[in-house]
Amino acid sequence: MPTIEVEQITKRFGQQIAVDHASFTVDPGEIFALLGPNGAGKTTAIRIILDIFKADSGTVTVLGGPMTEEKKDRLGYLPEERGLYQDVQLDRSLVYLATLKGLSAADASRKVDAMLKRFELYDHRKKKIKELSKGMQQKAQLIVTLIHDPELIIIDEPFSALDPVNTQMVKDLLREERDKGKCIVMCTHQMHQVEELADRLVLINEGKVVLYGGLQEIRRSYSGQEVDVHALTDLPAELPGAARVAKHNSGYRIHLEPSVTPQALLQTLVERGVQLEKFEIALPTLDEIFIQVVTTAGSPQ
Amino acid sequence: MKKFWLVFKHEYLRHVLTKRFIFGILSVPFFVALSIGLGLLSVILSTDKRPVGIIDHSGVLADPVIYPEKRDGAIPFTTFLFFTDAKLAQVALDNREIQGYYVLEPDYLTTGEVSLTAVEASGPGSEGDFAALLRANLLKNQPTELRQRMLEGPEVTIHSVADSRSVSPDNILGLIMPIVAGILFVVAINISGGYLLQAVVEEKENRTMEIVLTSVSTDQLMAGKIMGNLSVGLTQLAIWLAAAVIGTLFYANLQSDAGSVVMIRSYLAVLALTFLPAFVMVSALMAMLGATATEAREAQQISGLFSIPIFMPLWFITSILEHPDSALAVGFSLFPLTSPLTLPVRVAISTVPAWQIGLSLAILVAAAFGAVWLASRAFRLGMLRYGKRLTLRELLRGAA
């Protein structure tokens, strides 16, 4: 059973359509990327899922039904617009927010201590939030999101303000949560993080779903007639089936003629005695797909 | 319900445990006590305790009665020393043994003339005591009751026609108390409202709102916030009132005649009935402001729109006290923002028709409900609009 089922949701603000008949599902044990350019309707979609906003039409099912007060204890949310009580001590603030998620004060206190140690914030626990650096505040917010061991984790730009060491730590943490069977919805503009972490994704543009599916599946579907070749010997001057050969990184990118398959080219190269080190169908990066989809969809018809 | 208490406790403790709150709460009674203490101290220190000399050629003070022999208060009755002639008195004055000396001439009874010799031009601050001494001795052969009446004057008690309430000079506390308590209540309401305003705007400003909203329902959040911040104001009020009561007991004997008891009881009843909806109304209005404004400073500036009318009856307090049934006083009692201060004061000093009390309370309760409705609407509509103000039109028309 999917953790989240979004079906045909629409939300208008005045004349503007923020979300337009969007549908997608998110399953347990996956990291699901919610992508889209600024103002595409991602945050509105999340707020509808979380029942902060009501959809004008369409249905949302979370953890097997509509959102309830009890279910709020089973989800962790790190919003894009975020912050903590600036004048309150770090540990007090975290314990309060953890108790709001249904933990007892004693449990909350114990777990906060453990998390603060894991996130290397324990020595700063008596400081006011405003005395912490931006990165530390970001880690504190991640603690708030995860402290109550939620089944559904929704995180918006989880890596902003983090240094490479902490970015790696958060990535490990998200993988760990996925392996425990948690459902993770991640909103980010950092496409390389999505490529590294996400299992599936949805791309929303102008409120509409424009791309939806498994990450590799999408990349394959956007791959063109191109292969990347690294060879120990030079490529023959004449290569049947190749429309164009260009230097690419330390190898070559071969653009195939429309009727030629990569298999046919591989056979030709082997027959010509080229010693191959690498032969790979060139998949576009998520960045490239993102730009292609968004600019095509956004351009005037 | 459990989360309501968590929000309540968080809101309450985050203010009450701050140095600012503790300093604020202690500073008012401290500065009041300090200024009274300093005032008394300066009077005591500046009072010359040396005796004052008297040379009596008139015989009025032969075999004198010293009246009063003692009196209450920090300043004792002046000691008088009798001299037989001016030379001896002058020597004592030169030696700074006395503050000065009065000379009653032989024809004092016919002329009333008395001369005073003193070092300082202003003379000793004991003319009142000297006059009291003279009066007591002039009347010493009169019957006791007559002497007592002439010395103490009449004791006027003003009776209200309608009931047993009375305000006498001795019962001045009965007049001042409603005003002081009213001011304290209104101050507490404003403080609570201010905290609430700050609490709502702050969550918007620091972006904690969304995290909180995915943990607790808006109803529980609002209820917890309102009650928590109201309790902060009530705590402040309770401590100030306790300090005021202790202070009053210390400086004066509270009158406990039947009239003042009746007055206090009816006054307290109206005060309680008025301030409960007033508290809710002002808090909800402040919460509404917090939800609609984009930042704390802006919200605080607008909050003056509510706090100024609340204090407005104080500007007209003399008129309200002199004419508690005037159109102005009645109007102030009916308008929800001015009634919390006006109605209890009127009830304390005059007979307010039951319909006015009923109507005033009904309007206040309706205003409180209206304010809560607006606040929750504003909260739902405005809570996630960072940097964008919610307009009145949107507030009255928009849908969440």
Side-chain angles (χ1 to χ4, degrees):
Chain A
M1 187 183 64
T3 308
I4 301 173
E5 276 183 279
V6 174
E7 210 169 314
Q8 295 292 311
I9 57 166
T10 299
K11 178 75 182 172
R12 284 172 184 274
F13 294 108
Q15 295 300 307
Q16 192 195 350
I17 301 185
V19 182
D20 189 0
H21 294 91
S23 299
F24 55 88
T25 61
V26 190
D27 296 320
E30 74 170 346
I31 296 178
F32 185 82
L34 182 53
L35 308 175
N38 297 327
K42 303 186 298 288
T43 304
T44 304
I46 286 179
R47 286 175 181 172
I48 292 171
I49 292 169
L50 293 169
D51 202 35
I52 296 175
F53 288 161
K54 301 273 182 219
D56 298 337
S57 62
T59 55
V60 173
T61 308
V62 177
L63 296 163
M67 178 62 83
T68 59
E69 287 305 309
E70 289 68 39
K71 280 184 189 166
K72 286 183 175 177
D73 292 350
R74 294 162 64 192
L75 65 91
Y77 177 42
L78 177 73
E80 185 185 8
E81 297 278 6
R82 54 186 167 241
L84 291 168
Y85 301 103
Q86 295 294 306
D87 280 321
V88 180
Q89 255 175 226
L90 174 63
D91 55 354
R92 266 192 59 206
S93 186
L94 296 183
V95 167
Y96 168 59
L97 292 168
T99 53
L100 282 187
K101 285 291 186 188
L103 295 184
S104 69
D107 257 3
S109 197
R110 190 173 45 76
K111 286 191 170 183
V112 162
D113 277 359
M115 287 290 247
L116 285 172
K117 281 175 188 159
R118 176 165 187 180
F119 280 80
E120 294 173 347
L121 286 175
Y122 189 73
D123 294 341
H124 305 280
R125 68 190 186 282
K126 295 294 171 200
K127 284 186 184 167
K128 287 183 178 174
I129 304 275
K130 66 181 176 191
E131 292 163 3
L132 302 177
S133 72
K134 216 173 165 186
M136 285 177 180
Q137 291 193 30
Q138 167 83 347
K139 289 199 278 183
Q141 282 148 359
L142 278 161
I143 293 177
V144 173
T145 313
L146 301 171
I147 186 98
H148 55 296
D149 202 19
E151 290 164 58
L152 168 59
I153 300 164
I154 299 178
I155 42 177
D156 210 339
E157 293 295 348
F159 306 108
S160 63
L162 292 183
D163 60 36
V165 174
N166 284 308
T167 301
Q168 189 55 47
M169 189 194 71
V170 172
K171 277 188 209 167
D172 293 344
L173 196 74
L174 293 178
R175 287 194 188 103
E176 200 180 293
E177 293 295 316
R178 172 179 60 191
D179 296 344
K180 282 194 232 166
K182 306 290 178 63
C183 167
I184 301 166
V185 177
M186 180 173 74
C187 259
T188 180
H189 286 114
Q190 298 180 24
M191 294 301 154
H192 62 284
Q193 307 290 13
V194 176
E195 279 175 10
E196 206 177 320
L197 285 170
D199 302 299
R200 292 193 310 129
L201 62 89
V202 64
L203 176 60
I204 295 179
N205 190 35
E206 295 180 346
K208 292 191 177 78
V209 170
V210 289
L211 203 59
Y212 173 49
L215 176 68
Q216 294 311 319
E217 183 188 314
I218 287 173
R219 287 183 71 193
R220 267 196 296 275
S221 70
Y222 274 80
S223 65
Q225 286 286 80
E226 292 167 353
V227 290
D228 287 335
V229 172
H230 284 209
L232 295 175
T233 53
D234 286 342
L235 292 185
E238 286 292 315
L239 196 56
R244 187 160 57 90
V245 177
K247 278 271 185 195
H248 181 71
N249 295 336
S250 53
Y252 299 95
R253 175 156 289 183
I254 304 173
H255 300 259
L256 305 180
E257 285 173 355
S259 58
V260 178
T261 63
Q263 283 75 10
L265 179 74
L266 178 62
Q267 197 175 356
T268 309
L269 288 171
V270 173
E271 283 168 2
R272 296 287 177 97
V274 178
Q275 288 187 32
L276 291 173
E277 198 176 43
K278 178 181 165 189
F279 183 91
E280 189 179 63
I281 296 168
L283 291 179
T285 63
L286 211 48
D287 259 331
E288 288 164 340
I289 298 174
F290 185 95
I291 292 165
Q292 187 186 337
V293 170
V294 169
T295 50
T296 310
S299 63
Q301 298 298 306
Chain B
M1 198 58 191
K2 189 188 157 206
K3 288 182 180 176
F4 158 79
W5 287 111
L6 289 170
V7 177
F8 172 86
K9 194 175 135 196
H10 174 75
E11 289 293 332
Y12 182 75
L13 291 180
R14 65 185 291 211
H15 291 303
V16 170
L17 295 181
T18 58
K19 284 180 200 145
R20 191 179 58 174
F21 178 82
I22 295 166
F23 179 75
I25 214 164
L26 295 178
S27 62
V28 171
F30 174 75
F31 282 113
V32 169
L34 188 71
S35 52
I36 292 172
L38 284 177
L40 275 175
L41 194 68
S42 71
V43 170
I44 292 167
L45 290 177
S46 64
T47 305
D48 196 336
K49 294 186 187 64
R50 285 176 298 163
V52 174
I54 297 175
I55 301 126
D56 178 24
H57 298 303
S58 68
V60 171
L61 295 176
D63 189 16
V65 174
I66 304 297
Y67 172 86
E69 287 176 349
K70 58 180 181 180
R71 67 175 166 195
D72 296 333
I75 305 160
F77 194 73
T78 310
T79 311
F80 292 101
L81 278 181
F82 289 89
F83 294 90
T84 47
D85 65 65
K87 281 182 186 165
L88 288 172
Q90 188 60 48
V91 172
L93 183 62
D94 292 343
N95 291 339
R96 298 190 161 272
E97 289 162 5
I98 55 172
Q99 300 179 46
Y101 58 90
Y102 292 96
V103 180
L104 281 87
E105 299 304 332
D107 56 352
Y108 163 72
L109 274 178
T110 50
T111 62
E113 279 180 13
V114 178
S115 66
L116 168 64
T117 307
V119 176
E120 288 166 31
S122 58
S126 55
E127 286 89 344
D129 289 353
F130 178 67
L133 178 79
L134 274 180
R135 272 200 301 274
N137 283 282
L138 287 167
L139 293 169
K140 71 182 175 186
N141 295 325
Q142 299 298 324
T144 315
E145 283 181 1
L146 178 68
R147 194 178 66 205
Q148 202 74 9
R149 285 286 64 76
M150 292 194 73
L151 287 173
E152 292 178 2
E155 188 173 321
V156 180
T157 303
I158 306 158
H159 289 277
S160 170
V161 179
D163 52 38
S164 60
R165 280 172 294 169
S166 59
V167 179
S168 70
D170 286 344
N171 194 16
I172 196 75
L173 275 172
L175 191 67
I176 293 171
M177 203 189 79
I179 301 169
V180 172
I183 293 169
L184 282 179
F185 256 108
V186 172
V187 167
I189 286 178
N190 264 317
I191 288 170
S192 294
Y195 280 133
L196 191 59
L197 177 79
Q198 190 193 338
V200 176
V201 182
E202 191 192 3
E203 252 165 26
K204 266 179 80 176
E205 265 185 349
N206 68 24
R207 316 296 201 232
T208 321
M209 188 63 87
E210 277 185 86
I211 296 175
V212 177
L213 282 177
T214 51
S215 306
V216 57
S217 71
T218 43
D219 292 345
Q220 289 193 23
L221 180 65
M222 267 320 248
K225 275 184 177 297
I226 290 177
M227 295 312 291
N229 287 286
L230 277 185
S231 303
V232 174
L234 285 174
T235 306
Q236 201 148 12
L237 187 68
I239 293 172
W240 286 350
L241 282 180
V245 168
I246 292 166
T248 311
L249 287 172
F250 187 74
Y251 284 110
N253 294 320
L254 273 175
Q255 299 297 306
S256 59
D257 57 87
S260 63
V261 170
V262 170
M263 186 216 77
I264 285 171
R265 206 184 297 147
S266 62
Y267 164 73
L268 286 179
V270 172
L271 194 71
L273 286 172
T274 314
F275 275 95
L276 204 65
F279 248 117
V280 175
M281 177 185 68
V282 175
S283 301
L285 287 174
M286 294 294 186
M288 183 191 77
L289 271 186
T292 51
T294 54
E295 55 184 51
R297 198 180 49 183
E298 180 197 348
Q300 263 154 8
Q301 283 165 351
I302 310 172
S303 71
L305 283 177
F306 302 128
S307 48
I308 290 172
I310 291 170
F311 282 108
M312 204 184 281
L314 284 181
W315 305 343
F316 300 94
I317 197 71
T318 318
S319 166
I320 293 169
L321 288 175
E322 282 174 5
H323 309 288
D325 299 318
S326 65
L328 177 81
V330 174
F332 272 171
S333 311
L334 296 178
F335 185 60
L337 285 174
T338 47
S339 60
L341 203 50
T342 317
L343 188 66
V345 170
R346 284 184 64 215
V347 168
I349 58 166
S350 75
T351 309
V352 180
W355 71 266
Q356 279 186 20
I357 297 177
L359 184 61
S360 175
L361 291 178
I363 293 173
L364 200 53
V365 169
F369 271 107
V372 169
W373 179 78
L374 274 179
S376 56
R377 200 170 171 74
F379 195 65
R380 189 135 181 97
L381 284 171
M383 61 198 170
L384 300 176
R385 294 165 63 122
Y386 307 124
K388 197 175 166 194
R389 197 179 297 114
L390 184 68
T391 64
L392 190 63
R393 207 169 138 199
E394 286 173 312
L395 184 60
L396 295 173
R397 275 190 356 173

